[in-house]
């Protein structure tokens, strides 16, 4: 799956739940702090903090970079991602819209604006973003868009129209977990069959993506108690707490009615 973050890094307790963090500066963060002079330096500090999953501190660094480099696309894109990773979707959405205004990559931004609206609970807006994103996608991103569009549809009791775009054998690349969940949505596999497969899943990111899809599916067919129990299992596998499906699960559990 590759290396996503430094060995010494923050947990969801500080980044989502507001607990104090006890993560010491990495050598890179120390060096970036010592070299702070201009906007580029604060941008680099934000990136270094992000590699330690210290997203809230990274936002502060990006704020400073913005004050020194107003209108710099890289600043808004960096901060937008960190807002999204700390479940501040309204702020993230505003920054992603600003990225589009500044010429940011359209699929990158529209896809994540869809995620922002999903976390907010604006499912109709989220659906519209994913439908706008779909024609821009290759198979790998397409299966991710289908996954989130279908979850929105299940949540809003609307037709999951993008499922018609799914086909067996799509070249999904590293998005294998999205692919397995979408197979459930199409009826190609049952929830129980997929749960048996998950028993041997060693990767917390794959686990979260697949199991979140199962949970939303089970909720949609009235199996609330089973879905809630599985959601607890999902949240206990938190090595990749910053992946979008884990964040969605945490948001569902802790930020209802916000």
């Amino acid at each position: 799956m590759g290396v996503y973050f430094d060995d010494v890094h923050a947990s969801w307790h500080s980044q989502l739940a507001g607990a104090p963090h006890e993560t010491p500066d990495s050598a890179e963060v120390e060096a970036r702090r010592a070299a702070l002079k201009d906007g580029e330096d604060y941008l680099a500090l934000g990136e270094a903090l992000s590699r330690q999953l210290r997203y809230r501190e990274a936002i502060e660094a990006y704020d400073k970079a913005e004050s020194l480099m107003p209108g710099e696309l890289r600043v808004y894109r960096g901060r937008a991602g960190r807002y999204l990773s700390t479940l501040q979707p309204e702020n993230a959405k505003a920054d992603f819209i600003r990225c589009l205004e500044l010429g940011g990559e359209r699929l990158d931004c529209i896809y994540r604006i869809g995620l922002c609206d999903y976390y907010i609970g604006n499912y109709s807006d989220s659906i519209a973003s994913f439908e706008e994103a779909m024609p821009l996608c290759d198979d790998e991103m397409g299966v991710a868009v289908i996954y989130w569009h279908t979850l929105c549809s299940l949540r809003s009791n609307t037709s999951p129209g993008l499922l018609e775009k799914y086909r067996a054998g799509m070249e999904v690349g590293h998005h294998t977990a999205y692919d397995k969940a979408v197979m459930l949505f199409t009826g190609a596999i049952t929830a129980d069959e997929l749960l048996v497969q998950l028993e041997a899943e060693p990767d917390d990111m794959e686990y979260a993506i697949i199991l979140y899809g199962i949970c939303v599916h089970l909720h949609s067919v009235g199996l609330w108690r089973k879905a809630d129990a599985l959601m607890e299992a999902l949240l206990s596998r938190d090595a990749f707490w910053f992946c979008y499906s884990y964040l969605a699960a945490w948001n569902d559990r802790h930020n209802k009615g916000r």
Side-chain angles (χ1 to χ4, degrees):
M1 294 291 294
V3 177
Y4 291 84
F5 47 83
D6 291 349
D7 289 339
V8 178
H9 56 267
S11 71
W12 63 263
H13 299 84
S14 63
Q15 302 304 299
L16 301 180
H21 86 83
E22 298 178 353
T23 310
D25 285 354
S26 66
E28 182 186 15
V29 169
E30 286 184 352
R32 296 300 185 188
R33 288 195 197 280
L36 289 175
K37 293 179 182 177
D38 56 25
E40 291 287 348
D41 296 329
Y42 279 97
L43 180 61
L45 175 60
E47 293 168 351
L49 288 165
S50 294
R51 281 186 280 277
Q52 287 197 286
L53 310 187
R54 294 163 66 178
Y55 295 144
R56 292 187 178 274
E57 294 166 273
I59 289 169
E60 294 175 0
Y62 289 126
D63 286 345
K64 183 64 175 178
E66 182 194 14
S67 71
L68 296 170
M69 297 191 299
E72 172 55 55
L73 172 61
R74 292 172 297 155
V75 173
Y76 292 102
R77 180 59 183 84
R79 190 173 64 183
R82 302 295 66 89
Y83 276 138
L84 195 57
S85 300
T86 52
L87 288 175
Q88 301 180 69
E90 293 91 349
N91 291 336
K93 183 177 179 180
D95 271 358
F96 280 121
I97 290 172
R98 183 69 173 128
C99 288
L100 286 174
E101 294 169 349
L102 293 169
E105 202 274 312
R106 192 157 188 82
L107 174 58
D108 171 66
C109 295
I110 292 172
Y111 173 66
R112 287 167 178 81
I113 288 170
L115 291 171
C116 292
D117 279 317
Y118 184 86
Y119 295 155
I120 294 167
N122 294 337
Y123 299 122
S124 61
D125 289 345
S126 189
I127 284 170
S129 290
F130 291 130
E131 289 177 351
E132 182 179 354
M134 190 65 191
L136 306 175
C137 292
D138 59 11
D139 282 0
E140 187 170 25
M141 276 305 299
V143 74
V145 167
I146 293 168
Y147 171 95
W148 288 106
H149 183 275
T150 304
L151 295 182
C152 291
S153 300
L154 293 175
R155 282 280 171 85
S156 59
N157 196 30
T158 57
S159 175
L162 288 188
L163 277 179
E164 297 175 0
K165 304 289 187 180
Y166 179 78
R167 66 187 188 282
M170 289 177 70
E171 296 181 7
V172 299
H174 75 283
H175 282 169
T176 53
Y178 288 126
D179 188 52
K180 290 179 181 179
V182 172
M183 287 175 64
L184 167 66
F185 303 151
T186 65
I189 191 170
T190 69
D192 287 340
E193 288 169 337
L194 201 48
L195 286 168
V196 170
Q197 293 183 17
L198 269 186
E199 291 175 3
E201 176 54 62
D203 186 276
D204 281 10
M205 182 181 289
E206 296 276 308
Y207 186 86
I209 293 169
I210 296 168
L211 191 52
Y212 186 68
I214 293 172
C215 288
V216 176
H217 165 75
L218 292 175
H219 270 280
S220 74
V221 296
L223 297 175
W224 293 81
R225 190 169 298 176
K226 183 174 183 178
D228 287 345
L230 290 171
M231 192 76 83
E232 290 301 321
L234 188 165
L235 292 171
S236 72
R237 295 275 297 269
D238 61 359
F240 285 87
W241 62 263
F242 52 91
C243 92
Y244 294 141
S245 294
Y246 188 97
L247 290 170
W250 201 95
N251 189 55
D252 290 350
R253 181 52 50 90
H254 296 280
N255 287 342
K256 287 181 178 178
R258 66 181 177 83

